[in-house]
Amino acid sequence: MSPHSYSRTEFLRSLWPWLPLWTLLALLAIFAHGPMPLYSTRTLAVAWEMWQGGHWIVPYLNGEPYSHKVPLLFWLIHAGWFAFGVNDIWPRLLEVAFGAIELVLASMLARRLFPRSPWIAKATPWMLLALGYGFLFGLQIMYEVLLAVCVLAALLCLTPKPTRAAPRFALFAFCIGLGLLTKGPVMLLHVLFPWLLGPLWNAWARDHRGRWYGFGLLALLGGFAMLVAWAWPAIHLGGVDYANELLFKQTGGRVVDAFDHARPLWWYLPYLPVLLFPFSLWPRAWVALAALRRPWSDGVRFALAWLLPTLLVFSLISGKQLYYPLPEFAGACLLLAAALARLRERRPALAQNPWLGPWPAALAAFAAGLGLLASPWLIEASGTDNHWFIDLARHGQYFGVIFLLLGALVLLRGRGELRRLAIAGLIGAFAGNALFTLSQWQKYDLRPVSQLLAAADAGDQPIANLAGYAGQFQFLARLTHPVTELTPAALADWARAHPDGLVIAYPRQLSADDLRYAILVEPFRSDWLVAWRAPVLAALKAGRTPDEPAQATLLYPENDWRYRKTN
């Protein structure tokens, strides 16, 4: 057997059992319910409108060019639709595939950076798959997991291989271009600092600084050339307004004075324990990080050169969301695994101290389990009328047992502490998604109203939304016409101009008129979604009584506390 085939076999063996375990649970979780509004439904809406209208270059949303995103994810969705037809199965399989590739690339990156510490390469993917926020967000049909794949692939191009120390700059340029086509110029923030600080962690960069920076700069320009190859025709096709939005507002508008998601400088810091859960509740991890002293290995310097300046820049940017630094989750796990490996090597007694075990994570699991088990009695004793808690309590007792068992798993002694904590974190996130599906999904399921809107659109009936519209019906209803965004002041005029139109409204509470005159009523998040014939709603808003009641079709009324309170 040749060395190359042996190393390939060993690599495949190293994927067991974490990759099959994660993939199975991710598939079960992502198909447990339909696409989530508004993230997944908006992505599917853009892909559908591009497909339906033949807009292969410029993304569209609700009949207008959509400047918020670049097209790579939509193209990948279209590739599956060309092969299998339009469906929501392929986009979800894509997201699971992206997540699996991210785990594999994180393992490869750890293997490259720490060739003398194979335990780090084993531990890194276990830690990454256990991050609850990352697992749950990865169930959304969104751009960040694909971006994380592009980022890790690009960074792999800079790291030395056992048989080659020189970076692969051509491939680096290609991966940067893919990342730019996934999320735009923010891709550079994820890869810029490991390249700029290359001589701190890469021996080849220290010995060949001119080539490192010269070829690296050419690679950045090559990646941008891929973006320009799309943007140039897109700007000409999308028009002046689209060009201004794409070139200026979508990047500059988020950096300096964000038009969306503006947050203070320190906003990410208090959320770090949430993003790093369950390892944020593992004292051994924090002790290992605190004990990480110089001399640092090249791998540790790489992780620090990647994470610290990137987090600083993301904090300085005005627009912030928890999922923006998702590609750095792999770097955080890499650094944490390296710190734990150093602790095991240099201070074995401290590394095995039982008081540094994950008992806080176990306590959190026990608290969640006991709270779920006691939820029916707590609701009855408190007299709360919060429908979220009431709906949760219907299924919470069964899941309470699961969380108690996970807490017991975490407390087990012996070798494999990290793996037990990772498995508990992964199963806990999976159980949380299952509990959401059983108790809360009915408040997010837009299929009933989408069926109504699909029939209306097929009959050329105009549709309006009495609020801001994020494309939540576009794909589910396979709409071929735009949805009009209405303000209450414009309702009467629109109803007169479109007497056969339908209007979707979102009242906080139902009224007797909603139940008597609306076409369809269903819960939506903390509110209600009510479908109206436009003249009927306009008449009610004007204080007039419509001629005949419609007798609304009620979705889930017998199980929804808000309906019981209304009646």
Side-chain angles (χ1 to χ4, degrees):
M1 183 179 294
S2 69
H4 292 292
S5 62
Y6 174 79
S7 62
R8 189 181 305 115
T9 301
E10 287 298 301
F11 174 72
L12 292 175
R13 287 177 181 173
S14 70
L15 306 181
W16 177 265
W18 53 265
L19 185 59
L21 173 64
W22 181 89
T23 303
L24 174 63
L25 293 184
L27 285 171
L28 291 174
I30 204 168
F31 284 103
H33 53 70
M36 176 71 71
L38 301 166
Y39 286 146
S40 296
T41 53
R42 180 166 49 204
T43 303
L44 290 172
V46 177
W48 162 248
E49 287 204 39
M50 292 177 70
W51 175 273
Q52 187 268 333
H55 306 298
W56 308 118
I57 302 297
V58 179
Y60 269 73
L61 179 62
N62 201 32
E64 298 290 338
Y66 183 60
S67 62
H68 291 241
K69 294 295 180 287
V70 282
L72 181 58
L73 179 58
F74 309 129
W75 289 342
L76 294 175
I77 293 174
H78 292 161
W81 286 355
F82 273 113
F84 309 113
V86 177
N87 61 80
D88 63 2
I89 295 176
W90 170 252
R92 287 189 266 186
L93 290 176
L94 267 181
E95 286 297 325
V96 174
F98 296 153
I101 295 171
E102 180 190 9
L103 292 174
V104 173
L105 292 178
S107 176
M108 293 175 62
L109 189 62
R111 190 179 299 272
R112 295 264 189 93
L113 291 168
F114 301 94
R116 295 182 178 84
S117 300
W119 183 86
I120 298 176
K122 295 178 181 178
T124 297
W126 277 107
M127 300 182 76
L128 183 57
L129 67 83
L131 298 180
Y133 180 86
F135 179 82
L136 294 175
F137 186 81
L139 304 180
Q140 303 293 322
I141 303 173
M142 284 282 283
Y143 316 88
E144 270 65 29
V145 183
L146 175 57
L147 179 64
V149 169
C150 297
V151 169
L152 291 176
L155 295 179
L156 267 173
C157 296
L158 297 180
T159 56
K161 298 173 64 175
T163 57
R164 172 176 172 165
R168 289 141 318 271
F169 284 114
L171 192 56
F172 182 54
F174 180 69
C175 294
I176 289 176
L178 293 179
L180 291 170
L181 288 171
T182 298
K183 198 74 190 293
V186 72
M187 168 65 181
L188 294 185
L189 289 182
H190 296 287
V191 299
L192 186 63
F193 293 106
W195 169 65
L196 287 177
L197 301 176
L200 295 180
W201 62 269
N202 189 302
W204 191 93
R206 288 193 291 271
D207 296 337
H208 307 85
R209 291 175 185 262
R211 295 171 65 187
W212 174 270
Y213 288 111
F215 285 119
L217 180 59
L218 289 176
L220 294 180
L221 295 175
F224 261 105
M226 292 175 60
L227 180 65
V228 171
W230 162 77
W232 185 260
I235 288 170
H236 286 278
L237 291 172
V240 176
D241 291 341
Y242 175 75
N244 290 333
E245 290 273 338
L246 182 68
L247 295 177
F248 303 109
K249 185 175 180 180
Q250 289 307 318
T251 299
R254 295 180 189 273
V255 172
V256 180
D257 187 13
F259 60 87
D260 201 8
H261 315 308
R263 321 280 191 189
L265 175 69
W266 46 264
W267 187 78
Y268 281 115
L269 293 179
Y271 285 105
L272 287 179
V274 176
L275 299 180
L276 297 177
F277 180 85
F279 300 104
S280 55
L281 296 182
W282 190 18
R284 200 177 317 280
W286 294 107
V287 169
L289 286 175
L292 195 59
R293 297 287 188 271
R294 295 182 179 181
W296 294 329
S297 66
D298 285 346
V300 171
R301 287 197 291 269
F302 168 87
L304 293 174
W306 179 17
L307 295 175
L308 294 182
T310 303
L311 181 60
L312 175 61
V313 172
F314 270 107
S315 298
L316 292 173
I317 291 173
S318 179
K320 299 178 180 67
Q321 287 280 62
L322 288 181
Y323 55 82
Y324 284 175
L326 190 141
E328 278 65 49
F329 285 14
C333 293
L334 187 76
L335 178 62
L336 189 52
L340 288 167
R342 174 72 71 90
L343 189 70
R344 287 156 51 107
E345 175 186 344
R346 300 196 172 185
R347 305 181 68 177
L350 189 60
Q352 297 175 6
N353 188 323
W355 291 105
L356 298 181
W359 55 267
L363 290 180
F366 288 144
L370 293 174
L372 289 171
L373 283 174
S375 56
W377 294 278
L378 293 174
I379 289 173
E380 184 177 354
S382 64
T384 181
D385 57 4
N386 187 298
H387 64 90
W388 294 92
F389 293 149
I390 293 172
D391 293 339
L392 195 69
R394 292 195 187 97
H395 306 277
Q397 289 179 303
Y398 308 103
F399 287 87
V401 176
I402 295 176
F403 283 101
L404 290 178
L405 292 175
L406 292 178
L409 172 65
V410 170
L411 284 182
L412 290 177
R413 301 286 295 276
R415 296 183 61 183
E417 181 178 85
L418 184 150
R419 185 173 299 189
R420 288 193 298 273
L421 180 57
I423 291 174
L426 176 61
I427 295 178
F430 174 80
N433 179 75
L435 180 56
F436 167 83
T437 302
L438 291 172
S439 64
Q440 309 296 333
W441 170 244
Q442 66 184 33
K443 303 181 181 70
Y444 294 83
D445 187 0
L446 295 176
R447 288 175 300 175
V449 67
S450 296
Q451 292 173 4
L452 173 68
L453 299 181
D457 186 73
D460 290 328
Q461 288 181 258
I463 300 168
N465 198 67
L466 204 59
Y469 181 60
Q472 58 265 32
F473 309 122
Q474 220 72 20
F475 173 79
L476 295 176
R478 305 295 197 271
L479 298 182
T480 59
H481 301 89
V483 173
T484 302
E485 296 185 51
L486 277 184
T487 62
L491 172 61
D493 292 337
W494 193 86
R496 280 192 296 271
H498 306 90
D500 60 339
L502 294 182
V503 178
I504 306 299
Y506 305 88
R508 185 69 178 175
Q509 293 182 342
L510 293 180
S511 67
D513 287 339
D514 295 321
L515 300 175
R516 180 176 175 84
Y517 294 105
I519 302 173
L520 181 142
V521 175
E522 65 171 285
F524 182 61
R525 294 185 168 183
S526 297
D527 304 322
W528 289 90
L529 186 153
V530 183
W532 295 89
R533 299 197 184 281
V536 173
L537 180 58
L540 290 172
K541 294 295 185 182
R544 302 192 306 272
T545 302
D547 295 335
E548 293 184 7
Q551 297 179 344
T553 299
L554 299 172
L555 278 298
Y556 316 110
E558 70 281 0
N559 292 328
D560 199 288
W561 171 85
R562 292 166 293 169
Y563 175 79
R564 294 199 299 272
K565 181 177 180 182
T566 304
N567 291 268

